[in-house]
Amino acid sequence: MPRYELAVILKAMQRPGTSAALRRTVETLMERGAVVRDLENLGERLLPYKINKHNQNHLRGSYFLIDFYSAPNILTSLLDHLHRDVDVVRPTVLKKDDQVSSSNCCGS
Amino acid sequence: MFQVIGGRSVQAARVLAPRSAVLVEAVRGRKSRTDPVAKSKVGRIKVPPPVDPEEMVVLKERYGEYQMIMRALRLEARQEAQEHRVLMDLNHLENQRMLKLRIVRVQKEKEEADRKKFEVILQREQEQQEIVKEKEKEILQLQEDAKNFITLENLDQRIEEALDNPKNYNFAIDKQGKVVKQTMLQ
């Protein structure tokens, strides 16, 4: 199965709200038959520009990274669902390339 | 009594004294040696046909020349035929030799080709086995990773973990290659 990455920006909320939103998202994924591999938090940050979504103006958002394995045909319905979710400011699904040898990597 | 003659002496006899259509010569026939001579032939003296000396000379000269020429031609033909035979034999020998060499060479090439094919097959098989090993390794790796996947049970725990540990992938690097991972998280 191909490997995807969901980079999602959630509304800046208190901890229970964010936790619930994440739980909702992961459950949506699993409903559609995806296998969730890992969940990363990139922190609550200032957005690069003002984003207007669901009749709300957002300045800050919490960035999360979910990588999962799934069939490609569920992605459109998944994105559809995420666009409709009020707590989600911006969902983005990317394909994950095969791991490059990280020997000379300056990153993490 | 008279026998018909044919053959090489025909030409000479024809030149020397031909009168009849068929050439005949006297031969002992009905009578043997001891029989008495016939009454009509009592005083017969056999006389050979007359020969014209000038004609004979000319003829002898011409015949001599003609026969010399024929002999020469025949000799040359024989020599040519002999040379031809010699060359054909040489050619035959050469062909045999080349045949032997060719057979040996072809055999060697066939063996070489067979060996190469075999090697190619072996190589392919080895590559296949390598690929299978790689795939098996990948499968084992994935099985190991699968232990850390998120399931419904550890979902809450993982969410709490993630919210507690924000990860920062940003870094700065200068021209000297110094990496700085400490950045300000707004």
Side-chain angles (χ1 to χ4, degrees):
Chain A
M1 271 198 296
R3 200 168 153 177
Y4 296 100
E5 201 171 54
L6 171 62
V8 62
I9 310 181
L10 294 179
K11 197 167 96 165
M13 292 179 286
Q14 303 299 322
R15 192 157 166 137
T18 329
S19 166
L22 277 173
R23 203 197 158 87
R24 244 183 300 144
T25 319
V26 175
E27 273 172 6
T28 315
L29 273 171
M30 291 177 131
E31 265 169 42
R32 280 152 222 256
V35 175
V36 182
R37 198 184 159 106
D38 200 12
L39 167 57
E40 284 168 9
N41 177 10
L42 302 177
E44 195 192 301
R45 319 178 39 143
L46 210 61
L47 295 177
Y49 44 84
K50 267 189 291 192
I51 301 181
N52 198 336
K53 194 89 185 194
H54 302 298
N55 283 326
Q56 269 184 310
N57 233 333
H58 299 99
L59 284 167
R60 297 181 72 85
S62 33
Y63 289 69
F64 288 93
L65 217 53
I66 309 178
D67 49 6
F68 58 97
Y69 290 110
S70 84
N73 52 0
I74 66 162
L75 295 177
T76 17
S77 69
L78 175 71
L79 276 172
D80 212 38
H81 183 276
L82 288 169
H83 278 299
R84 282 190 236 273
D85 192 340
V86 188
D87 289 333
V88 167
V89 174
R90 185 162 293 177
T92 316
V93 174
L94 304 160
K95 207 157 57 160
K96 201 150 181 139
D97 283 335
D98 294 329
Q99 296 287 359
V100 186
S101 67
S102 49
S103 49
N104 311 348
C105 198
C106 309
S108 49
Chain B
M1 279 188 306
F2 291 105
Q3 203 167 49
V4 173
I5 54 168
R8 272 187 244 253
S9 42
V10 164
Q11 278 85 354
R14 225 191 269 268
V15 167
L16 292 174
R19 246 8 89 102
S20 53
V22 184
L23 290 164
V24 295
E25 63 172 12
V27 151
R28 282 238 169 246
R30 226 162 50 85
K31 291 194 162 160
S32 73
R33 289 167 84 188
T34 49
D35 288 335
V37 183
K39 270 193 276 183
S40 59
K41 298 278 180 303
V42 159
R44 188 176 184 243
I45 302 171
K46 275 196 272 197
V47 177
V51 171
D52 193 9
E54 288 160 9
E55 199 190 339
M56 204 62 205
V57 163
V58 172
L59 272 177
K60 256 193 140 89
E61 206 185 297
R62 286 194 190 167
Y63 264 110
E65 227 177 281
Y66 169 74
Q67 273 161 13
M68 185 170 64
I69 291 169
M70 289 303 280
R71 232 180 298 136
L73 284 174
R74 260 183 231 118
L75 194 66
E76 272 181 32
R78 212 177 310 155
Q79 272 177 345
E80 207 187 292
Q82 200 173 30
E83 277 170 14
H84 183 75
R85 243 179 289 134
V86 166
L87 288 171
M88 288 298 280
D89 282 337
L90 270 177
N91 191 19
H92 186 68
L93 283 172
E94 196 64 28
N95 285 352
Q96 298 285 48
R97 186 173 71 90
M98 291 310 251
L99 175 71
K100 279 193 199 117
L101 287 173
R102 199 170 0 119
I103 284 174
V104 169
R105 188 169 21 99
V106 165
Q107 181 74 10
K108 271 206 195 107
E109 274 175 13
K110 199 156 69 86
E111 273 170 25
E112 197 64 34
D114 277 340
R115 197 171 56 81
K116 281 223 173 86
K117 252 198 289 196
F118 190 59
E119 261 177 38
V120 165
I121 290 172
L122 264 174
Q123 191 71 13
R124 287 275 164 74
E125 265 181 46
Q126 257 180 335
E127 273 168 19
Q128 287 290 79
Q129 277 176 348
E130 294 282 303
I131 288 171
V132 165
K133 270 192 206 132
E134 284 294 321
K135 291 282 184 257
E136 276 182 6
K137 241 189 342 182
E138 273 177 28
I139 288 171
L140 284 169
Q141 182 66 28
L142 203 59
Q143 275 180 339
E144 280 300 311
D145 291 338
K147 290 176 191 158
N148 296 342
F149 285 174
I150 300 181
T151 62
L152 287 161
E153 291 85 36
N154 51 10
L155 179 57
D156 287 316
Q157 184 203 352
R158 288 299 276 268
I159 291 177
E160 295 300 311
E161 256 179 58
L163 284 171
D164 289 329
N165 317 329
K167 208 159 185 302
N168 187 9
Y169 286 111
N170 300 330
F171 67 97
I173 188 165
D174 69 0
K175 287 193 203 161
Q176 270 66 53
K178 209 163 69 157
V179 174
V180 172
K181 296 251 177 94
Q182 188 82 340
T183 68
M184 197 173 69
L185 195 59
Q186 296 158 318

